[in-house]
Amino acid sequence: MKVTVYPGALKGVVQVPASKSFAHRALICAALSQGESRIKCGAVSDDIRATCRAVTALGAKVEFDGDTFLVRGISGRVSEDVVIDCGESGSTLRFMLPVALTLCDGYVRFVGGGKLGLRPLDEYLKIFDAQGIYYRNNSGQSGLDLTVRGDLIADDFELEGNVSSQFISGLLLACPRLAYDSTITLSKPLESKDYVRITMDVMEKYGVTASYDPLERKFTVFGGQTFSARAYRSAPYVVEGDWSQAAFFLVARHLGHEVEVAGVTPLSVQGDRVIADMLGMLRAVSPERLLTLDVKNVPDIVPVLSVACALRKGGTHIINAGRLRIKECDRLAATAEGLKALGAKVKEGGEDMFFDGVDKLEGGVEIKNYHDHRMVMAFAVAATVCALPVTICGYESIDKSYPAFFEDLKKLGGKFEITED
């Protein structure tokens, strides 16, 4: 489907959805706990549904009532073979792979669509080779198809810190269930460290702890720990607002719209909270100076941040954005291509993007289908300040993370039209 977004002013207050990052982890921790507990997280995206399917396949029971999940934890090991449909959720895949190897006696087949089959898994496959865990990987352009079987055992794991933090989080979630203590040592400095902080924060809420020594770049996880959701049987675990989704409307305000964002936690451990600081820098730094923004730890905000960079007078340089090339699409190339079509002066190469600010964006074009939720929402924000309407393909991809995005845009006065391809 396509959505045509018309230029026009936005005004009002938007309540951002619950953090997808927190919700994934809370659902897994609740599923690994005994008994029933509740998680309040508002509307549900496709990625969160994928994690619900994953824990259900392993024996948890998950119900959704209004804005709250009721989760009954996994009661024992799974003896039969299991299929886990990850949809297009990289978080679900990388979190649940090691967790499943602490629970299952049979084969576990992970399937999924989109570009999930192209997401790197080498860090896990090296562990599987070392521990004699069986795997067969038939993944590729057509999607994810990975089968594993075996028992993850406590170990001194070694990972590269500059790979996806999801590998670290997956091991952190799995290792407390092992019989003995484990360590995770990083051979390179930790990137996207705030996502790991989220994992450790949620684990602690569910009674399980891990420690990190930044000097040695080493996590220590004691084995034999038990996840407990007892605290959330009467009052629910409340998932905080999502800074990465708030970024779309914070950029809209930066571009001149009278928009207020509600529901985010100012002192959150979410790394994407730096969007507010980065927008402040775009306003404060003299146009005569080249402004450099390092997005190593916050790649998800780059598509919409780029809209603001394109309209900043002077030059702006985004660095350390290479991880965007292995998302739902090559987001570096897609962002540059789309903004050029709107009239921006931007180029990308390697891990960087370069902007020579323009006074306005023209619009009047159709943006191709990148099958990427963040592309759709970023270009929708850009379209509101273009001279002419912009048609964006792949409208339905917003269901992956923020299904109510256009409903919220409409509440603010945004005008758009949805049509079939």
PDB file of all heavy atoms in Angstrom, residues 320-352:
ATOM      1  N   ASN A 320      29.909   6.636  11.867  1.00  0.00           N
ATOM      2  CA  ASN A 320      29.735   5.341  12.547  1.00  0.00           C
ATOM      3  C   ASN A 320      28.313   4.798  12.411  1.00  0.00           C
ATOM      4  O   ASN A 320      27.731   4.288  13.362  1.00  0.00           O
ATOM      5  CB  ASN A 320      30.118   5.449  14.026  1.00  0.00           C
ATOM      6  CG  ASN A 320      31.600   5.704  14.218  1.00  0.00           C
ATOM      7  OD1 ASN A 320      32.423   5.154  13.488  1.00  0.00           O
ATOM      8  ND2 ASN A 320      31.938   6.543  15.180  1.00  0.00           N
ATOM      9  N   ALA A 321      27.791   4.879  11.200  1.00  0.00           N
ATOM     10  CA  ALA A 321      26.426   4.416  10.938  1.00  0.00           C
ATOM     11  C   ALA A 321      26.395   3.137  10.112  1.00  0.00           C
ATOM     12  O   ALA A 321      25.365   2.778   9.550  1.00  0.00           O
ATOM     13  CB  ALA A 321      25.637   5.515  10.212  1.00  0.00           C
ATOM     14  N   GLY A 322      27.504   2.422  10.055  1.00  0.00           N
ATOM     15  CA  GLY A 322      27.608   1.261   9.174  1.00  0.00           C
ATOM     16  C   GLY A 322      26.613   0.157   9.468  1.00  0.00           C
ATOM     17  O   GLY A 322      26.216  -0.594   8.566  1.00  0.00           O
ATOM     18  N   ARG A 323      26.197   0.022  10.741  1.00  0.00           N
ATOM     19  CA  ARG A 323      25.273  -1.053  11.091  1.00  0.00           C
ATOM     20  C   ARG A 323      23.926  -0.896  10.390  1.00  0.00           C
ATOM     21  O   ARG A 323      23.167  -1.853  10.252  1.00  0.00           O
ATOM     22  CB  ARG A 323      25.084  -1.094  12.607  1.00  0.00           C
ATOM     23  CG  ARG A 323      24.376  -2.347  13.092  1.00  0.00           C
ATOM     24  CD  ARG A 323      24.476  -2.502  14.585  1.00  0.00           C
ATOM     25  NE  ARG A 323      25.851  -2.686  14.972  1.00  0.00           N
ATOM     26  CZ  ARG A 323      26.394  -2.203  16.089  1.00  0.00           C
ATOM     27  NH1 ARG A 323      25.649  -1.497  16.908  1.00  0.00           N
ATOM     28  NH2 ARG A 323      27.654  -2.423  16.379  1.00  0.00           N
ATOM     29  N   LEU A 324      23.636   0.312   9.908  1.00  0.00           N
ATOM     30  CA  LEU A 324      22.368   0.542   9.213  1.00  0.00           C
ATOM     31  C   LEU A 324      22.282  -0.208   7.884  1.00  0.00           C
ATOM     32  O   LEU A 324      21.193  -0.369   7.334  1.00  0.00           O
ATOM     33  CB  LEU A 324      22.187   2.040   8.954  1.00  0.00           C
ATOM     34  CG  LEU A 324      21.903   2.889  10.192  1.00  0.00           C
ATOM     35  CD1 LEU A 324      21.995   4.357   9.862  1.00  0.00           C
ATOM     36  CD2 LEU A 324      20.541   2.562  10.765  1.00  0.00           C
ATOM     37  N   ARG A 325      23.391  -0.687   7.402  1.00  0.00           N
ATOM     38  CA  ARG A 325      23.369  -1.388   6.111  1.00  0.00           C
ATOM     39  C   ARG A 325      22.781  -2.801   6.231  1.00  0.00           C
ATOM     40  O   ARG A 325      22.469  -3.423   5.201  1.00  0.00           O
ATOM     41  CB  ARG A 325      24.778  -1.444   5.526  1.00  0.00           C
ATOM     42  CG  ARG A 325      25.336  -0.064   5.198  1.00  0.00           C
ATOM     43  CD  ARG A 325      26.441  -0.136   4.179  1.00  0.00           C
ATOM     44  NE  ARG A 325      27.056   1.167   3.944  1.00  0.00           N
ATOM     45  CZ  ARG A 325      26.558   2.098   3.136  1.00  0.00           C
ATOM     46  NH1 ARG A 325      25.437   1.881   2.485  1.00  0.00           N
ATOM     47  NH2 ARG A 325      27.193   3.250   2.978  1.00  0.00           N
ATOM     48  N   ILE A 326      22.652  -3.316   7.447  1.00  0.00           N
ATOM     49  CA  ILE A 326      22.142  -4.675   7.618  1.00  0.00           C
ATOM     50  C   ILE A 326      20.849  -4.677   8.431  1.00  0.00           C
ATOM     51  O   ILE A 326      20.567  -5.583   9.206  1.00  0.00           O
ATOM     52  CB  ILE A 326      23.190  -5.594   8.265  1.00  0.00           C
ATOM     53  CG1 ILE A 326      23.726  -4.989   9.575  1.00  0.00           C
ATOM     54  CG2 ILE A 326      24.324  -5.874   7.307  1.00  0.00           C
ATOM     55  CD1 ILE A 326      24.621  -5.927  10.359  1.00  0.00           C
ATOM     56  N   LYS A 327      20.053  -3.635   8.266  1.00  0.00           N
ATOM     57  CA  LYS A 327      18.728  -3.586   8.890  1.00  0.00           C
ATOM     58  C   LYS A 327      17.702  -4.138   7.900  1.00  0.00           C
ATOM     59  O   LYS A 327      18.038  -4.926   7.017  1.00  0.00           O
ATOM     60  CB  LYS A 327      18.409  -2.147   9.304  1.00  0.00           C
ATOM     61  CG  LYS A 327      19.331  -1.604  10.395  1.00  0.00           C
ATOM     62  CD  LYS A 327      19.061  -2.247  11.736  1.00  0.00           C
ATOM     63  CE  LYS A 327      19.844  -1.584  12.844  1.00  0.00           C
ATOM     64  NZ  LYS A 327      19.522  -2.148  14.180  1.00  0.00           N
ATOM     65  N   GLU A 328      16.435  -3.722   8.031  1.00  0.00           N
ATOM     66  CA  GLU A 328      15.403  -4.207   7.121  1.00  0.00           C
ATOM     67  C   GLU A 328      15.738  -3.878   5.666  1.00  0.00           C
ATOM     68  O   GLU A 328      15.306  -4.569   4.746  1.00  0.00           O
ATOM     69  CB  GLU A 328      14.046  -3.607   7.494  1.00  0.00           C
ATOM     70  CG  GLU A 328      13.408  -4.230   8.712  1.00  0.00           C
ATOM     71  CD  GLU A 328      13.971  -3.713  10.037  1.00  0.00           C
ATOM     72  OE1 GLU A 328      14.990  -2.990  10.039  1.00  0.00           O
ATOM     73  OE2 GLU A 328      13.399  -4.035  11.080  1.00  0.00           O
ATOM     74  N   CYS A 329      16.460  -2.796   5.477  1.00  0.00           N
ATOM     75  CA  CYS A 329      17.045  -2.478   4.180  1.00  0.00           C
ATOM     76  C   CYS A 329      18.402  -1.846   4.467  1.00  0.00           C
ATOM     77  O   CYS A 329      18.796  -1.710   5.623  1.00  0.00           O
ATOM     78  CB  CYS A 329      16.147  -1.521   3.384  1.00  0.00           C
ATOM     79  SG  CYS A 329      16.041   0.154   4.083  1.00  0.00           S
ATOM     80  N   ASP A 330      19.128  -1.462   3.443  1.00  0.00           N
ATOM     81  CA  ASP A 330      20.344  -0.682   3.643  1.00  0.00           C
ATOM     82  C   ASP A 330      19.896   0.745   3.947  1.00  0.00           C
ATOM     83  O   ASP A 330      19.658   1.552   3.048  1.00  0.00           O
ATOM     84  CB  ASP A 330      21.211  -0.728   2.381  1.00  0.00           C
ATOM     85  CG  ASP A 330      22.511   0.062   2.522  1.00  0.00           C
ATOM     86  OD1 ASP A 330      22.612   0.924   3.417  1.00  0.00           O
ATOM     87  OD2 ASP A 330      23.430  -0.176   1.711  1.00  0.00           O
ATOM     88  N   ARG A 331      19.753   1.050   5.237  1.00  0.00           N
ATOM     89  CA  ARG A 331      19.150   2.327   5.616  1.00  0.00           C
ATOM     90  C   ARG A 331      20.029   3.528   5.271  1.00  0.00           C
ATOM     91  O   ARG A 331      19.494   4.626   5.074  1.00  0.00           O
ATOM     92  CB  ARG A 331      18.825   2.343   7.109  1.00  0.00           C
ATOM     93  CG  ARG A 331      17.598   1.532   7.454  1.00  0.00           C
ATOM     94  CD  ARG A 331      17.255   1.632   8.914  1.00  0.00           C
ATOM     95  NE  ARG A 331      16.092   0.797   9.237  1.00  0.00           N
ATOM     96  CZ  ARG A 331      15.777   0.391  10.445  1.00  0.00           C
ATOM     97  NH1 ARG A 331      16.543   0.736  11.479  1.00  0.00           N
ATOM     98  NH2 ARG A 331      14.709  -0.357  10.649  1.00  0.00           N
ATOM     99  N   LEU A 332      21.328   3.345   5.203  1.00  0.00           N
ATOM    100  CA  LEU A 332      22.176   4.471   4.780  1.00  0.00           C
ATOM    101  C   LEU A 332      21.864   4.843   3.339  1.00  0.00           C
ATOM    102  O   LEU A 332      21.613   6.010   3.018  1.00  0.00           O
ATOM    103  CB  LEU A 332      23.654   4.112   4.928  1.00  0.00           C
ATOM    104  CG  LEU A 332      24.323   4.355   6.274  1.00  0.00           C
ATOM    105  CD1 LEU A 332      25.813   4.010   6.190  1.00  0.00           C
ATOM    106  CD2 LEU A 332      24.147   5.794   6.711  1.00  0.00           C
ATOM    107  N   ALA A 333      21.883   3.846   2.465  1.00  0.00           N
ATOM    108  CA  ALA A 333      21.614   4.105   1.049  1.00  0.00           C
ATOM    109  C   ALA A 333      20.176   4.578   0.845  1.00  0.00           C
ATOM    110  O   ALA A 333      19.922   5.520   0.078  1.00  0.00           O
ATOM    111  CB  ALA A 333      21.886   2.850   0.222  1.00  0.00           C
ATOM    112  N   ALA A 334      19.226   3.947   1.540  1.00  0.00           N
ATOM    113  CA  ALA A 334      17.814   4.297   1.359  1.00  0.00           C
ATOM    114  C   ALA A 334      17.525   5.716   1.842  1.00  0.00           C
ATOM    115  O   ALA A 334      16.784   6.462   1.189  1.00  0.00           O
ATOM    116  CB  ALA A 334      16.935   3.296   2.101  1.00  0.00           C
ATOM    117  N   THR A 335      18.084   6.092   2.975  1.00  0.00           N
ATOM    118  CA  THR A 335      17.861   7.440   3.496  1.00  0.00           C
ATOM    119  C   THR A 335      18.409   8.487   2.541  1.00  0.00           C
ATOM    120  O   THR A 335      17.739   9.488   2.234  1.00  0.00           O
ATOM    121  CB  THR A 335      18.500   7.593   4.886  1.00  0.00           C
ATOM    122  OG1 THR A 335      17.925   6.643   5.787  1.00  0.00           O
ATOM    123  CG2 THR A 335      18.281   8.992   5.436  1.00  0.00           C
ATOM    124  N   ALA A 336      19.634   8.273   2.059  1.00  0.00           N
ATOM    125  CA  ALA A 336      20.237   9.230   1.132  1.00  0.00           C
ATOM    126  C   ALA A 336      19.458   9.308  -0.168  1.00  0.00           C
ATOM    127  O   ALA A 336      19.177  10.400  -0.689  1.00  0.00           O
ATOM    128  CB  ALA A 336      21.695   8.841   0.858  1.00  0.00           C
ATOM    129  N   GLU A 337      19.070   8.162  -0.698  1.00  0.00           N
ATOM    130  CA  GLU A 337      18.330   8.130  -1.962  1.00  0.00           C
ATOM    131  C   GLU A 337      16.996   8.856  -1.838  1.00  0.00           C
ATOM    132  O   GLU A 337      16.620   9.665  -2.702  1.00  0.00           O
ATOM    133  CB  GLU A 337      18.111   6.676  -2.375  1.00  0.00           C
ATOM    134  CG  GLU A 337      17.373   6.508  -3.693  1.00  0.00           C
ATOM    135  CD  GLU A 337      17.191   5.046  -4.049  1.00  0.00           C
ATOM    136  OE1 GLU A 337      16.540   4.314  -3.266  1.00  0.00           O
ATOM    137  OE2 GLU A 337      17.674   4.635  -5.114  1.00  0.00           O
ATOM    138  N   GLY A 338      16.262   8.572  -0.768  1.00  0.00           N
ATOM    139  CA  GLY A 338      14.969   9.200  -0.579  1.00  0.00           C
ATOM    140  C   GLY A 338      15.061  10.695  -0.368  1.00  0.00           C
ATOM    141  O   GLY A 338      14.268  11.466  -0.930  1.00  0.00           O
ATOM    142  N   LEU A 339      16.015  11.123   0.446  1.00  0.00           N
ATOM    143  CA  LEU A 339      16.166  12.563   0.697  1.00  0.00           C
ATOM    144  C   LEU A 339      16.610  13.307  -0.562  1.00  0.00           C
ATOM    145  O   LEU A 339      16.171  14.438  -0.804  1.00  0.00           O
ATOM    146  CB  LEU A 339      17.149  12.797   1.838  1.00  0.00           C
ATOM    147  CG  LEU A 339      16.616  12.479   3.240  1.00  0.00           C
ATOM    148  CD1 LEU A 339      17.715  12.613   4.282  1.00  0.00           C
ATOM    149  CD2 LEU A 339      15.438  13.388   3.593  1.00  0.00           C
ATOM    150  N   LYS A 340      17.457  12.689  -1.362  1.00  0.00           N
ATOM    151  CA  LYS A 340      17.834  13.314  -2.636  1.00  0.00           C
ATOM    152  C   LYS A 340      16.607  13.525  -3.509  1.00  0.00           C
ATOM    153  O   LYS A 340      16.456  14.564  -4.164  1.00  0.00           O
ATOM    154  CB  LYS A 340      18.846  12.439  -3.377  1.00  0.00           C
ATOM    155  CG  LYS A 340      20.266  12.493  -2.836  1.00  0.00           C
ATOM    156  CD  LYS A 340      21.161  11.576  -3.653  1.00  0.00           C
ATOM    157  CE  LYS A 340      22.561  11.511  -3.091  1.00  0.00           C
ATOM    158  NZ  LYS A 340      23.413  10.546  -3.832  1.00  0.00           N
ATOM    159  N   ALA A 341      15.726  12.540  -3.536  1.00  0.00           N
ATOM    160  CA  ALA A 341      14.510  12.658  -4.338  1.00  0.00           C
ATOM    161  C   ALA A 341      13.640  13.817  -3.863  1.00  0.00           C
ATOM    162  O   ALA A 341      12.931  14.435  -4.659  1.00  0.00           O
ATOM    163  CB  ALA A 341      13.721  11.348  -4.284  1.00  0.00           C
ATOM    164  N   LEU A 342      13.718  14.123  -2.553  1.00  0.00           N
ATOM    165  CA  LEU A 342      12.941  15.236  -2.001  1.00  0.00           C
ATOM    166  C   LEU A 342      13.608  16.592  -2.215  1.00  0.00           C
ATOM    167  O   LEU A 342      12.996  17.631  -1.954  1.00  0.00           O
ATOM    168  CB  LEU A 342      12.707  15.022  -0.506  1.00  0.00           C
ATOM    169  CG  LEU A 342      11.902  13.791  -0.100  1.00  0.00           C
ATOM    170  CD1 LEU A 342      11.754  13.740   1.421  1.00  0.00           C
ATOM    171  CD2 LEU A 342      10.538  13.767  -0.761  1.00  0.00           C
ATOM    172  N   GLY A 343      14.868  16.580  -2.656  1.00  0.00           N
ATOM    173  CA  GLY A 343      15.566  17.836  -2.914  1.00  0.00           C
ATOM    174  C   GLY A 343      16.697  18.134  -1.966  1.00  0.00           C
ATOM    175  O   GLY A 343      17.267  19.235  -2.004  1.00  0.00           O
ATOM    176  N   ALA A 344      17.068  17.175  -1.114  1.00  0.00           N
ATOM    177  CA  ALA A 344      18.181  17.389  -0.189  1.00  0.00           C
ATOM    178  C   ALA A 344      19.515  17.190  -0.898  1.00  0.00           C
ATOM    179  O   ALA A 344      19.591  16.510  -1.925  1.00  0.00           O
ATOM    180  CB  ALA A 344      18.076  16.427   0.989  1.00  0.00           C
ATOM    181  N   LYS A 345      20.559  17.777  -0.314  1.00  0.00           N
ATOM    182  CA  LYS A 345      21.918  17.573  -0.790  1.00  0.00           C
ATOM    183  C   LYS A 345      22.623  16.666   0.215  1.00  0.00           C
ATOM    184  O   LYS A 345      23.030  17.098   1.286  1.00  0.00           O
ATOM    185  CB  LYS A 345      22.659  18.904  -0.924  1.00  0.00           C
ATOM    186  CG  LYS A 345      22.079  19.823  -1.986  1.00  0.00           C
ATOM    187  CD  LYS A 345      22.857  21.129  -2.072  1.00  0.00           C
ATOM    188  CE  LYS A 345      22.281  22.050  -3.135  1.00  0.00           C
ATOM    189  NZ  LYS A 345      23.020  23.348  -3.190  1.00  0.00           N
ATOM    190  N   VAL A 346      22.721  15.389  -0.152  1.00  0.00           N
ATOM    191  CA  VAL A 346      23.256  14.396   0.772  1.00  0.00           C
ATOM    192  C   VAL A 346      23.979  13.311  -0.022  1.00  0.00           C
ATOM    193  O   VAL A 346      23.588  12.991  -1.150  1.00  0.00           O
ATOM    194  CB  VAL A 346      22.117  13.776   1.617  1.00  0.00           C
ATOM    195  CG1 VAL A 346      21.006  13.223   0.745  1.00  0.00           C
ATOM    196  CG2 VAL A 346      22.639  12.687   2.551  1.00  0.00           C
ATOM    197  N   LYS A 347      25.023  12.789   0.569  1.00  0.00           N
ATOM    198  CA  LYS A 347      25.702  11.628  -0.010  1.00  0.00           C
ATOM    199  C   LYS A 347      26.109  10.697   1.118  1.00  0.00           C
ATOM    200  O   LYS A 347      26.247  11.111   2.272  1.00  0.00           O
ATOM    201  CB  LYS A 347      26.915  12.053  -0.840  1.00  0.00           C
ATOM    202  CG  LYS A 347      27.998  12.800  -0.076  1.00  0.00           C
ATOM    203  CD  LYS A 347      29.140  13.183  -1.002  1.00  0.00           C
ATOM    204  CE  LYS A 347      30.248  13.937  -0.237  1.00  0.00           C
ATOM    205  NZ  LYS A 347      31.379  14.291  -1.126  1.00  0.00           N
ATOM    206  N   GLU A 348      26.240   9.428   0.773  1.00  0.00           N
ATOM    207  CA  GLU A 348      26.640   8.433   1.778  1.00  0.00           C
ATOM    208  C   GLU A 348      27.751   7.571   1.211  1.00  0.00           C
ATOM    209  O   GLU A 348      27.869   7.378   0.008  1.00  0.00           O
ATOM    210  CB  GLU A 348      25.443   7.577   2.203  1.00  0.00           C
ATOM    211  CG  GLU A 348      24.695   6.888   1.078  1.00  0.00           C
ATOM    212  CD  GLU A 348      25.276   5.534   0.701  1.00  0.00           C
ATOM    213  OE1 GLU A 348      26.090   4.991   1.491  1.00  0.00           O
ATOM    214  OE2 GLU A 348      24.937   5.033  -0.380  1.00  0.00           O
ATOM    215  N   GLY A 349      28.559   7.053   2.127  1.00  0.00           N
ATOM    216  CA  GLY A 349      29.635   6.162   1.729  1.00  0.00           C
ATOM    217  C   GLY A 349      30.258   5.526   2.953  1.00  0.00           C
ATOM    218  O   GLY A 349      30.405   6.170   3.996  1.00  0.00           O
ATOM    219  N   GLY A 350      30.581   4.241   2.854  1.00  0.00           N
ATOM    220  CA  GLY A 350      31.164   3.563   4.000  1.00  0.00           C
ATOM    221  C   GLY A 350      30.200   3.547   5.167  1.00  0.00           C
ATOM    222  O   GLY A 350      29.089   3.032   5.071  1.00  0.00           O
ATOM    223  N   GLU A 351      30.604   4.170   6.276  1.00  0.00           N
ATOM    224  CA  GLU A 351      29.763   4.240   7.470  1.00  0.00           C
ATOM    225  C   GLU A 351      29.241   5.652   7.728  1.00  0.00           C
ATOM    226  O   GLU A 351      28.726   5.938   8.810  1.00  0.00           O
ATOM    227  CB  GLU A 351      30.552   3.760   8.692  1.00  0.00           C
ATOM    228  CG  GLU A 351      30.997   2.307   8.615  1.00  0.00           C
ATOM    229  CD  GLU A 351      31.527   1.784   9.931  1.00  0.00           C
ATOM    230  OE1 GLU A 351      31.832   2.606  10.819  1.00  0.00           O
ATOM    231  OE2 GLU A 351      31.629   0.555  10.084  1.00  0.00           O
ATOM    232  N   ASP A 352      29.353   6.529   6.736  1.00  0.00           N
ATOM    233  CA  ASP A 352      29.080   7.943   6.957  1.00  0.00           C
ATOM    234  C   ASP A 352      28.017   8.491   6.020  1.00  0.00           C
ATOM    235  O   ASP A 352      27.753   7.941   4.947  1.00  0.00           O
ATOM    236  CB  ASP A 352      30.362   8.766   6.764  1.00  0.00           C
ATOM    237  CG  ASP A 352      31.463   8.382   7.735  1.00  0.00           C
ATOM    238  OD1 ASP A 352      31.189   7.573   8.646  1.00  0.00           O
ATOM    239  OD2 ASP A 352      32.581   8.883   7.581  1.00  0.00           O
TER     240      ASP A 352
END
